Amino acid sequence: MRLHPFQRQRSFGLLVGFLLLPGLAAAAAPRPPGKMVDLGGHRLHVDCRGRGAPTVVVENGLGDFSFDWVLVQSKVAAQTRMCTYDRAGYAWSDPGPLPRTFDQLNFELREALSKLGEKPPFVLVGHSFGGPVIRNFAALHPSEVSGMVLVDSVFENQRVAIQGKAVRLRDGATGKPVPPPGRDMKARAMKAKDGPSHPVAGEEAARSATSSLDPLYRRLPPREQEYQVWAQSLPELGDAESSQREWSTEYFARLYANPSAGALGAIPLAVLSRALGGYSDNLDVPASELESERLAGQAGLARLSSRGRQIILPCGHNMELEAPDEVATEILRVVDEVRKTSGDSRSR
């Protein structure tokens, strides 16, 4: 059973198998498939493929990586340009400035895309935790967003399971002001993650470790399975996610306090939702109530735009792996809607 969507998307079996393999943790990082973008103190890994406009940009869920989208990206990039990236502290990307607020994530992504010459407006795709992150991007830079796809996105009134209780994501918010984003690394050293591929011993260990992957990740091509094993082992990932979780409560509280129906105006919006939430009755709130809240919250996301629509998919939370064809199709539908509105399908 997969973890709750707001929790780290991680396979414990994979990690145990990984840690038992001698020498793998010390292996060199695999060569990044995309580009390393220097943001003046730390670098982000961004992987853009394909040609055409609008450019599609993906914001991952917690614990997910750029290469998790390879099955979707291969289909979308055949018809337009698509960029995936790793947030600071993930995979090849260096740790970034703290705290890891939504504003900071938006600031870094926007700067990286600008340095790569990727031109807005973008079609933003947000999976799970990435959903509210791209909603924040659209609130800050509305003219730079032409369409949006929310992939089983979390929402401001959602509950998560913590120690046997169903806790709302906005619980714990204190109303503290969100600090402005910036580049101040506070003397944090950069890591040399981009380098040669694994040495032979590392390759053998990586192949062995992929045999312990959660079946979900075995849908990925062999190279991306090895990336998964390596990226999940990086210790700085935990620090990045901890800060992201801490500050997200403030954003969820603000979103809940300010009803957001219509906040996206009339841009094309697709909301992809699981048919079943998969709740159990071992929490302090009945599974039926949690499911009712989830369905209402997902339907509410579609009302963020007057051109919003909801699509129910018979799969689990990680749709980019479980239903890549359907996800790619819905992304391209939004792209087509944007093109019809703007008349822009220029090649790059």
Side-chain angles (χ1 to χ4, degrees):
M1 180 180 292
R2 299 294 296 154
L3 295 174
H4 189 280
F6 197 65
Q7 294 175 313
R8 185 182 301 177
Q9 305 294 303
R10 196 76 71 232
S11 165
F12 293 111
L14 179 149
L15 288 176
V16 171
F18 180 92
L19 294 172
L20 292 177
L21 290 170
L24 182 57
R31 183 173 290 109
K35 295 182 179 179
M36 300 299 296
V37 185
D38 188 347
L39 300 184
H42 73 293
R43 302 163 300 168
L44 285 189
H45 171 248
V46 185
D47 186 4
C48 296
R49 306 181 190 185
R51 298 171 65 86
T55 296
V56 175
V57 180
V58 176
E59 186 71 60
N60 299 314
L62 280 178
D64 295 336
F65 308 100
S66 58
F67 48 81
D68 289 336
W69 286 81
V70 65
L71 302 177
V72 175
Q73 191 170 24
S74 63
K75 299 178 183 302
V76 173
Q79 299 189 42
T80 196
R81 191 157 177 81
M82 180 171 178
C83 299
T84 61
Y85 89 109
D86 294 297
R87 289 194 291 270
Y90 285 61
W92 296 274
S93 295
D94 299 316
L98 296 173
R100 307 302 298 161
T101 64
F102 288 2
D103 288 44
Q104 183 67 37
L105 303 183
N106 296 160
F107 173 81
E108 292 173 5
L109 174 59
R110 185 169 181 254
E111 185 169 14
L113 291 171
S114 176
K115 289 195 171 188
L116 288 172
E118 303 296 337
K119 295 180 173 57
F122 304 111
V123 169
L124 298 182
V125 178
H127 172 235
S128 190
F129 172 86
V133 176
I134 64 170
R135 288 171 60 189
N136 194 71
F137 189 109
L140 294 174
H141 312 290
S143 65
E144 298 182 15
V145 181
S146 57
M148 186 176 291
V149 181
L150 295 173
V151 182
D152 212 39
S153 171
V154 296
F155 52 90
E156 47 268 37
N157 202 38
Q158 189 164 338
R159 304 196 214 208
V160 297
I162 300 178
Q163 297 180 344
K165 294 185 178 181
V167 180
R168 296 196 188 278
L169 294 176
R170 54 188 168 82
D171 288 351
T174 63
K176 59 185 176 182
V178 176
R183 302 182 182 86
D184 182 11
M185 293 299 295
K186 298 180 180 177
R188 175 181 282 166
M190 287 169 53
K191 301 166 299 166
K193 284 187 178 180
D194 53 331
S197 300
H198 291 295
V200 175
E203 288 179 354
E204 292 174 352
R207 281 194 294 271
S208 177
T210 58
S211 66
S212 299
L213 276 172
D214 185 304
L216 179 72
Y217 297 120
R218 293 183 200 156
R219 301 166 190 253
L220 292 168
R223 183 182 69 166
E224 281 70 22
Q225 290 186 37
E226 292 190 13
Y227 289 167
Q228 188 70 236
V229 172
W230 164 74
Q232 289 191 13
S233 74
L234 301 173
E236 57 271 18
L237 179 60
D239 290 340
E241 292 187 352
S242 177
S243 183
Q244 287 169 175
R245 283 194 188 93
E246 175 189 353
W247 282 90
S248 67
T249 59
E250 303 298 332
Y251 288 91
F252 286 121
R254 293 196 307 187
L255 285 170
Y256 182 75
N258 299 282
S260 53
L264 296 176
I267 67 171
L269 165 67
V271 175
L272 280 57
S273 310
R274 286 179 289 168
L276 298 173
Y279 296 104
S280 64
D281 277 317
N282 60 355
L283 299 174
D284 60 338
V285 178
S288 59
E289 183 177 340
L290 294 174
E291 182 68 351
S292 177
E293 288 182 358
R294 182 188 73 87
L295 293 172
Q298 289 291 312
L301 291 175
R303 294 192 290 272
L304 290 172
S305 170
S306 61
R307 296 171 66 185
R309 54 191 172 83
Q310 185 182 20
I311 302 92
I312 307 294
L313 295 181
C315 66
H317 177 62
N318 289 76
M319 295 178 173
E320 74 282 9
L321 296 172
E322 299 177 63
D325 291 348
E326 292 86 345
V327 173
T329 294
E330 296 306 327
I331 291 173
L332 289 171
R333 282 181 180 171
V334 170
V335 167
D336 287 343
E337 289 183 60
V338 171
R339 286 175 174 174
K340 289 176 182 178
T341 301
S342 65
D344 186 3
S345 60
R346 64 186 183 277
S347 62
R348 294 181 183 272

